[in-house]
Amino acid sequence: DSIHLSEKHLKIALETSRKIGDPYTEINSELTLSYLFLKTNNLTEASNYLSKARSFASVYGLEYELVECDLLNGELETARNNFEGITDSFKKALVRAQAMNEFNLMIEANYKLAVVYDKYNLKELAESYYSSAVKLVEDHSRSLFEDDEVQISYFSAKHNIYYSFAEFYLKNNQYKNAFELIEKSRSRNTMQNLSNLKLQSAIKDEVTLKSIYEYDWMIHSGLYEQNKLDSLKTLFTELKNGIIDDDPSMNKYLNFESGISIIEIQKNLEGNENIVSIFSIEEKTYVFVLSENGFDHFELDVTKKELKNLTASISPYYDPKNSSNNSYYNQDLFSFNVEAAFNFYTKIIKPFINKIPEGEKIIFTSSYELETFPFEFLVTDFNKDQSSFNYGEQKYLLFRNNISYSPSA
């Protein structure tokens, strides 16, 4: 019903835009109708509306809409399983987007090509386009780094790119690459904002600080031709070098790099510290264990849905259905289930825990499904003859290891 209602109102908008001579609304109504028919698998109607939108966009020279047409045509060809048509459409979209210096469309086109090549098992091409999409995301994010809320929103919208790329690495047994990418995706916004705060506190001259922001934005905006870009880079380098000469510690903040490597992380770990990173895809859950001298990965037959159910069964606090701010749990309602905490431990923690000696520190970094989950209260042994709500005599993970948390490694 909602689809038919959408179709009805889109056709009204299309007819109205034609009557009043509004080509922009007319084209976008046709594009949206094409997308709607594609989703209902009516490829003939989807193709008809797309053809009309492309024709009008060409007449009026609307380059952005022409890129949208190419992207949507790639989706149509995907529905037809036409590999050449898919890649040709997405490549046309990428070329147009590059000519416009339109970052978001470039990111989308690179990402869609990566997904296609991944699907058809063309690994090198898939990795190349995934890498290009991630690089564009990170280059563009630099021009947003004065506003942490905008940056958080931006990275959240691009999460699926990192997720798909990580899944690609995992499928191809590239576990170290997957770990580094996962941790980079979790830390990117945090690290940029910390660097920004450090710059603001260390550089007291507002003119100098403003110049840093302006040069960084201009260089990563994609708005300038190469000669002008080279000139801007030279001026920015001279400015940064002058600041670093006065205070060498500013180098890592002015020349911020997002790369996270296992070797660098290990250099910063103490002998008794261990990082445990948990990452779920639809069919499996992966655990990475990193110590000063070792790296191990564990592939668990626990789906993302099962992981959510395991957490929800421990307490209503961790059930997404009870996420309302008005929810209240009284201890008399048995809000913590010991047996469920033991089941979680058995399925997620037990497979790797012997890699970490008793008494050592575990630093958990987790996906958003577990970002507020208290691992220290997991139960490491449980007698089924006991009540699931007998808390006093249980063995908890915090008795075995010191537990702490980090948004990323």
Side-chain angles (χ1 to χ4, degrees):
D1 289 342
S2 61
I3 290 177
H4 288 118
L5 194 61
S6 297
E7 179 186 343
K8 174 185 174 182
H9 287 291
L10 281 167
K11 286 182 176 178
I12 291 172
L14 179 58
E15 186 63 28
T16 302
S17 63
R18 285 172 177 166
K19 287 180 180 178
I20 66 175
D22 182 353
Y24 179 79
T25 302
E26 181 177 350
I27 292 165
N28 280 281
S29 296
E30 287 168 339
L31 278 171
T32 308
L33 278 164
S34 177
Y35 178 79
L36 186 68
F37 283 119
L38 172 61
K39 289 304 173 186
T40 58
N41 208 34
N42 187 342
L43 303 188
T44 300
E45 282 296 283
S47 184
N48 287 339
Y49 278 105
L50 177 59
S51 178
K52 293 175 184 177
R54 187 190 297 279
S55 176
F56 276 105
S58 296
V59 169
Y60 289 98
L62 298 175
E63 288 298 318
Y64 191 99
E65 280 67 29
L66 284 171
V67 179
E68 293 282 5
C69 287
D70 289 331
L71 291 170
L72 188 51
N73 193 62
E75 299 294 341
L76 265 170
E77 297 299 340
T78 299
R80 295 173 177 138
N81 290 315
N82 179 7
F83 175 75
E84 289 187 4
I86 300 168
T87 54
D88 182 61
S89 295
F90 291 150
K91 285 179 179 179
K92 284 181 179 177
L94 180 56
V95 170
R96 289 185 194 273
Q98 287 171 333
M100 297 165 60
N101 283 321
E102 180 54 56
F103 273 93
N104 285 323
L105 291 177
M106 289 161 62
I107 291 166
E108 185 175 358
N110 273 289
Y111 172 58
K112 288 182 179 295
L113 281 164
V115 171
V116 171
Y117 287 125
D118 189 5
K119 177 182 176 181
Y120 285 88
N121 205 32
L122 296 168
K123 298 177 184 178
E124 291 185 3
L125 284 169
E127 183 174 7
S128 174
Y129 281 105
Y130 274 130
S131 296
S132 294
V134 167
K135 186 177 186 305
L136 284 165
V137 168
E138 294 177 355
D139 279 350
H140 187 40
S141 74
R142 294 187 63 84
S143 62
L144 310 174
F145 80 153
E146 281 187 273
D147 191 329
D148 57 348
E149 290 186 6
V150 171
Q151 203 177 66
I152 289 169
S153 175
Y154 177 78
F155 277 113
S156 177
K158 307 303 181 186
H159 168 76
N160 61 319
I161 297 173
Y162 287 90
Y163 180 94
S164 298
F165 196 5
E167 189 172 3
F168 166 82
Y169 277 140
L170 291 169
K171 280 192 311 183
N172 291 287
N173 303 323
Q174 294 175 258
Y175 298 108
K176 290 185 176 181
N177 286 344
F179 171 81
E180 290 173 349
L181 180 68
I182 290 164
E183 295 307 315
K184 179 166 71 170
S185 72
R186 291 172 178 171
S187 71
R188 177 71 193 190
N189 174 259
T190 301
M191 294 307 298
Q192 279 195 1
N193 286 329
L194 288 173
S195 294
N196 192 30
L197 288 171
K198 180 65 176 179
L199 288 174
Q200 290 175 354
S201 64
I203 299 175
K204 303 303 181 184
D205 181 18
E206 290 187 10
V207 174
T208 300
L209 189 61
K210 185 177 180 180
S211 295
I212 291 171
Y213 291 153
E214 288 180 346
Y215 280 130
D216 198 86
W217 182 86
M218 288 188 288
I219 288 169
H220 293 92
S221 68
L223 297 175
Y224 298 94
E225 294 182 357
Q226 193 61 48
N227 288 340
K228 177 64 174 177
L229 191 59
D230 290 342
S231 176
L232 288 169
K233 288 180 178 179
T234 299
L235 292 171
F236 193 26
T237 298
E238 290 174 354
L239 175 63
K240 290 191 293 184
N241 287 344
I243 296 170
I244 294 167
D245 286 342
D246 293 334
D247 183 357
S249 69
M250 297 304 295
N251 180 58
K252 64 181 179 180
Y253 303 108
L254 287 167
N255 295 308
F256 175 76
E257 296 293 339
S258 64
I260 288 179
S261 72
I262 289 174
I263 292 174
E264 289 301 315
I265 296 170
Q266 288 175 321
K267 287 179 181 177
N268 293 316
L269 286 176
E270 300 292 338
N272 67 337
E273 291 181 330
N274 305 269
I275 290 173
V276 172
S277 175
I278 301 174
F279 179 76
S280 289
I281 60 175
E282 294 303 321
E283 304 85 8
K284 293 181 183 294
T285 294
Y286 292 85
V287 179
F288 306 95
V289 179
L290 188 67
S291 63
E292 187 180 35
N293 298 307
F295 173 83
D296 294 283
H297 73 274
F298 299 82
E299 185 176 318
L300 311 179
D301 289 322
V302 177
T303 65
K304 180 177 284 191
K305 182 178 180 180
E306 186 179 358
L307 182 64
K308 291 178 180 178
N309 290 338
L310 283 169
T311 58
S313 64
I314 292 174
S315 168
Y317 285 109
Y318 307 114
D319 188 343
K321 297 175 185 175
N322 299 324
S323 60
S324 169
N325 290 332
N326 296 323
S327 297
Y328 171 75
Y329 304 104
N330 187 288
Q331 64 178 1
D332 295 332
L333 298 179
F334 304 132
S335 294
F336 183 81
N337 187 306
V338 172
E339 184 175 6
F342 174 68
N343 290 339
F344 186 104
Y345 171 84
T346 301
K347 291 198 171 187
I348 306 299
I349 307 298
K350 192 174 181 179
F352 71 81
I353 196 63
N354 287 335
K355 289 284 183 181
I356 302 173
E358 291 188 28
E360 291 196 354
K361 178 184 285 188
I362 300 177
I363 304 166
F364 282 101
T365 75
S366 303
S367 54
Y368 72 93
E369 295 93 349
L370 299 171
E371 62 186 1
T372 62
F373 187 75
F375 287 89
E376 58 264 42
F377 291 122
L378 291 177
V379 175
T380 61
D381 192 19
F382 179 71
N383 184 343
K384 291 187 179 292
D385 294 331
Q386 294 180 342
S387 167
S388 294
F389 306 100
N390 177 10
Y391 309 135
E393 300 177 1
Q394 303 304 329
K395 296 179 180 178
Y396 298 99
L397 185 58
L398 64 88
F399 295 163
R400 184 187 190 279
N401 297 95
N402 295 317
I403 308 296
S404 63
Y405 301 89
S406 175
S408 73

